[in-house]
Amino acid sequence: MVTRLETSLYNQLAEKLADHIRSGAIATGERLPSIRQLAKREGVSISTVMSAYSILEEQGWVEVRPKSGYYAIKQARPSLAIPSIAHTEARPIVATTSQLVMDVQRNGFRSNAINFSRATPANDFPIAKHLQQSYTRQARTRQHLGVGYTVPEGSEELRQQIARHAIDAGVAVSPDSIVTSIGSLNAMGLCLQALTQPGDVVAVESPCYYGILQLIESYGLRAVEIPVHPETGMSLEALKLALEQWPIAAIITVSNFSNPLGCSIPEDRKRALVDILEHYEVPLIEDDIYGDLYFGERRPKAIKAFDTQGWVLLCSSVSKTIDPQMRVGWVMAGRYYEDILYRKFVNLVATPLLPQLACADILSQGIYERHLRQAREAYRQRYERLADLASEHFPSATKISRPQGGIGAWFELPASVNATELYHHAKDQDVLIAPGEMFSLNKQFRHCFRLSYAYRWTPEREDAIRRLGEWVTQRVSPTNTFDQ
Ligand SMILES: Cc1ncc(COP(=O)(O)O)c(C=O)c1O
């Protein structure tokens, strides 16, 4: 059996060698040390080196030449720049979302397509099997399934597990302050219902996850778009200006590894954001759905970790970490607990018990932590591969986000390139991306798109990136540069 230590050893070794090839310290065409030499030099086992080499081979860093050894096959490539900060309207606008969203959703279920459009977790982890076992175990052993309504706040066991895991995000809450929901989007919808009336103004990120924009549209709200810095998240300076100018009823932000930019608000800015909430006495709906999928050493804190007065309503779910099919989410509602519970009761009466019990079962075991370690490492490597493929196949003026976690990357193309056209062209070739215009209310990201890198790279997926890059390259003249 491969131990966790061995897994992290060979991943570390593979990453170290990939870094050497990326930086040019190991030149293209150079022969790498033999398995025995490297094992001796690094003080690791033969099988660790073999696993590291097979990862490098899978990622396209090395090739095996029969009877000769492993050779570096990649040039060190310059990395692409990060996207620019958005220019927003700086005034409330009536929310109307892109017609494309439903087209992208519908096509996202096509089984013959190479799908980069959906922010769905990968399906090649053992958690799927554990989940099935949990469902079966719970269905077999629970007496009270199928005997009537359940309490509106949701399963107590699940709420206990959610409260226990929240400690990792720096959040200390009682299970009694949590309300379960049908995923994170439903949790945010309940929050908006509790906090706003039609016509109210809500501050949202720009670019913003289209599901949030659709919620705002469906509740008849107006939105003021706040620019998001591709590395540090929502601009607090722009937010303060908006709060000075407009009667903002609520703020919504995806605090860690946002969708689509993949950025996180640094801790000091999270503290500063809570000071702003307290000063302006305005609630904030925090979506921390990607927080467990960090690539770094430790999980970033939630904004709620700094909230002592209950202004933050923290929403999340297991849609990105376990399975979106479970539709298990929750909200830690702070001072709005009673309102949220009432809204849940009015909307849903209660949420289905079996998925909640299966989820509590998974969260209560070491399986979840093991799964997260594996998923985080896989996603980090899959992003690195995407960045390499992008710099290989896209024009050098392309920009790509550098997420420190999560499963999505944001591409910014030269301003003259229309990513909606790219979407339609790629769709005809059975390749799906999420066009940028879905991520704002005024279609301002028409030269951008989001691409999910969650799934394992295959030759077909890599070739699809090449084809996307080729299409963009054909539309960029040599003198074309980004509008600054
Ligand atoms: C930022 C963000 N929030 C919420 C959701 C939807 O989550 P759920 O499936 O839990 O409703 C998504 C899905 O893509 C997302 O990216």
Side-chain angles (χ1 to χ4, degrees):
M1 202 179 87
V2 181
T3 65
R4 202 171 88 218
L5 180 67
E6 279 166 331
T7 310
S8 76
L9 271 180
Y10 65 67
N11 279 319
Q12 278 168 20
L13 183 58
E15 185 50 32
K16 187 162 130 186
L17 292 168
D19 278 345
H20 289 332
I21 300 172
R22 197 180 285 122
S23 70
I26 300 175
T28 304
E30 191 177 327
R31 182 165 174 258
L32 277 82
S34 73
I35 291 173
R36 264 176 217 293
Q37 280 168 339
L38 192 58
K40 198 163 162 208
R41 194 175 87 193
E42 296 289 327
V44 296
S45 68
I46 299 275
S47 68
T48 299
V49 176
M50 285 171 69
S51 302
Y53 274 166
S54 75
I55 290 176
L56 290 171
E57 200 185 347
E58 186 189 322
Q59 292 178 353
W61 291 104
V62 301
E63 68 179 6
V64 195
R65 296 191 194 154
K67 301 211 177 103
S68 181
Y70 289 88
Y71 288 80
I73 54 169
K74 232 173 17 180
Q75 301 261 343
R77 287 195 192 88
S79 40
L80 300 174
I82 59 168
S84 342
I85 192 156
H87 301 288
T88 58
E89 292 252 3
R91 65 180 174 84
I93 45 179
V94 174
T96 40
T97 54
S98 165
Q99 300 291 319
L100 273 184
V101 177
M102 293 319 288
D103 191 60
V104 174
Q105 288 304 313
R106 260 191 295 276
N107 280 286
F109 290 99
R110 267 164 49 183
S111 57
N112 62 340
I114 295 179
N115 199 333
F116 297 110
S117 71
R118 304 176 68 197
T120 309
N123 56 4
D124 57 341
F125 302 127
I127 193 79
K129 186 184 76 210
H130 294 300
L131 182 57
Q132 214 160 25
Q133 287 165 352
S134 283
Y135 269 120
T136 311
R137 195 163 43 240
Q138 297 303 319
R140 215 178 33 230
T141 56
R142 295 301 176 133
Q143 301 305 318
H144 50 283
L145 286 173
V147 290
Y149 290 109
T150 54
V151 288
E153 52 266 44
S155 148
E156 190 179 346
E157 282 156 84
L158 176 61
R159 287 183 290 110
Q160 275 166 359
Q161 289 306 322
I162 293 167
R164 192 169 74 79
H165 278 274
I167 296 169
D168 294 344
V171 178
V173 290
S174 150
D176 295 339
S177 69
I178 298 172
V179 178
T180 67
S181 62
I182 306 280
S184 188
L185 199 57
N186 170 242
M188 288 190 271
L190 297 175
C191 295
L192 281 173
Q193 283 184 34
L195 299 174
T196 63
Q197 303 287 331
D200 278 355
V201 180
V202 176
V204 297
E205 299 174 330
S206 177
C208 180
Y209 164 51
Y210 53 82
I212 293 175
L213 298 177
Q214 286 180 307
L215 275 183
I216 288 176
E217 179 181 36
S218 65
Y219 293 135
L221 299 166
R222 290 178 296 153
V224 55
E225 295 185 308
I226 310 292
V228 175
H229 187 280
E231 287 186 320
T232 55
M234 184 183 258
S235 159
L236 299 191
E237 297 68 28
L239 177 65
K240 264 201 258 185
L241 274 178
L243 284 161
E244 288 293 335
Q245 275 183 289
W246 315 107
I248 291 177
I251 302 163
I252 307 190
T253 185
V254 182
S255 50
N256 296 312
F257 320 126
S258 69
N259 177 0
L261 271 167
C263 55
S264 297
I265 306 174
E267 235 173 65
D268 56 336
R269 290 178 79 82
K270 283 178 177 149
R271 270 181 217 281
L273 180 50
V274 171
D275 289 344
I276 293 174
L277 306 180
E278 290 172 4
H279 178 80
Y280 290 93
E281 303 200 331
V282 60
L284 177 135
I285 302 168
E286 174 180 20
D287 183 8
D288 189 23
I289 194 167
Y290 294 106
D292 280 344
L293 298 176
Y294 53 95
F295 299 161
E297 289 295 306
R298 63 186 185 93
R299 192 200 194 286
K301 287 190 173 149
I303 300 167
K304 181 123 189 104
F306 307 102
D307 173 35
T308 53
Q309 297 183 13
W311 291 107
V312 179
L313 301 91
L314 173 56
C315 301
S316 193
S317 77
V318 293
S319 295
K320 309 299 171 183
T321 50
I322 303 180
D323 184 4
Q325 257 183 52
M326 296 188 90
R327 308 311 299 136
V328 169
W330 57 88
V331 45
M332 298 173 186
R335 58 172 68 200
Y336 303 96
Y337 175 81
E338 288 299 334
D339 276 354
I340 298 290
L341 189 60
Y342 175 71
R343 295 288 162 179
K344 176 175 171 186
F345 182 69
V346 170
N347 278 267
L348 305 163
V349 181
T351 44
L353 188 56
L354 183 57
Q356 293 185 69
L357 294 175
C359 186
D361 188 38
I362 295 268
L363 293 181
S364 68
Q365 304 173 47
I367 296 167
Y368 184 62
E369 293 307 329
R370 267 205 307 284
H371 163 65
L372 286 180
R373 273 195 296 274
Q374 188 179 18
R376 285 194 291 260
E377 185 52 27
Y379 292 151
R380 189 183 65 74
Q381 289 180 10
R382 289 171 193 180
Y383 168 75
E384 288 296 339
R385 184 75 191 122
L386 171 64
D388 284 332
L389 289 166
S391 78
E392 189 174 351
H393 298 301
F394 278 70
S396 60
T398 305
K399 300 179 180 181
I400 178 174
S401 62
R402 279 185 213 135
Q404 297 303 307
I407 52 179
W410 183 243
F411 279 66
E412 183 180 325
L413 303 173
S416 59
V417 182
N418 186 327
T420 302
E421 272 174 38
L422 173 60
Y423 164 72
H424 288 297
H425 165 82
K427 188 175 72 170
D428 290 345
Q429 313 231 329
D430 295 324
V431 176
L432 302 171
I433 58 169
E437 67 166 75
M438 303 196 308
F439 296 85
S440 89
L441 295 171
N442 54 11
K443 302 193 173 166
Q444 67 165 314
F445 299 112
R446 280 213 150 160
H447 60 307
C448 301
F449 64 93
R450 187 197 69 188
L451 196 143
S452 169
Y453 51 80
Y455 277 68
R456 179 185 285 280
W457 287 106
T458 59
E460 293 74 26
R461 291 178 78 76
E462 296 198 354
D463 189 58
I465 300 291
R466 183 190 61 73
R467 286 187 282 143
L468 291 170
E470 207 170 79
W471 187 92
V472 175
T473 305
Q474 281 164 8
R475 270 145 194 85
V476 180
S477 73
T479 51
N480 214 341
T481 52
F482 277 91
D483 294 344
Q484 293 302 310

